Amino acid sequence: MPGRGRRRGRGAVLAPEPDGFGAAQAPIASNPQPGSGAVDPAAIRIVDGDTFRIGSVRYRVRNLDAPELAPRAACALEAERGRAAREEARRLVGSAQTAALRTDGQTDRFGRTVATLTLDGRDFAELMIRGQRAARFGGRERDWCAS
């Protein structure tokens, strides 16, 4: 069955079968653990521009700082930019055919697992930065209220 993939058992999705002949593909984890590879893009739930969830696990995108959403935003401009960042993240993930996750077990101060997310072979953080919806994280949060 060509296309999105098919389910096998609980929590695993087989990769799409491009040839349509039913050849078994390696399972894609829908709730990956540190160090895992491929994930089903449909399993990724965007929280904000630099945070996503897969199942019950929350991830912080490595080297990315996106504006906050209300009520955590410091001003109305940051909240507006935060909504735009979240929508861009949703668009990127929603249009991806493949996704890969790389973690090393690090967590941030909020308990989120720090991860590198790759969509169709492209680094998610770089896509968000190039789209001007986020900035490279440099150890301090950026002032998103400055015009």
Side-chain angles (χ1 to χ4, degrees):
M1 166 158 87
R4 299 282 298 164
R6 56 192 169 95
R7 294 220 173 260
R8 174 191 274 174
R10 277 188 78 143
V13 176
L14 293 182
E17 298 162 0
D19 61 8
F21 294 109
Q25 302 286 327
I28 298 174
S30 60
N31 195 8
Q33 299 303 313
S36 20
V39 295
D40 181 5
I44 300 170
R45 300 289 178 250
I46 297 298
V47 175
D48 61 26
D50 57 21
T51 306
F52 62 95
R53 195 172 41 81
I54 300 176
S56 61
V57 181
R58 289 172 61 98
Y59 296 90
R60 169 74 152 86
V61 179
R62 184 180 311 281
N63 298 324
L64 189 66
D65 181 31
E68 297 293 335
L69 297 165
R72 293 196 49 180
C75 64
L77 180 58
E78 182 176 13
E80 180 181 321
R81 289 174 170 173
R83 284 189 301 276
R86 179 180 60 195
E87 291 311 310
E88 177 67 1
R90 286 178 175 163
R91 185 191 70 74
L92 290 169
V93 170
S95 65
Q97 297 296 307
T98 63
L101 187 66
R102 189 174 68 240
T103 66
D104 58 10
Q106 281 187 311
T107 57
D108 71 358
R109 63 186 173 146
F110 300 108
R112 298 174 293 187
T113 300
V114 179
T116 300
L117 178 63
T118 306
L119 302 173
D120 297 328
R122 299 175 301 169
D123 183 83
F124 174 81
E126 289 300 319
L127 294 171
M128 291 291 286
I129 292 165
R130 283 191 206 134
Q132 299 181 342
R133 298 297 182 198
R136 193 168 316 285
F137 185 70
R140 291 183 36 211
E141 291 184 3
R142 180 177 170 169
D143 179 7
W144 292 101
C145 295
S147 38

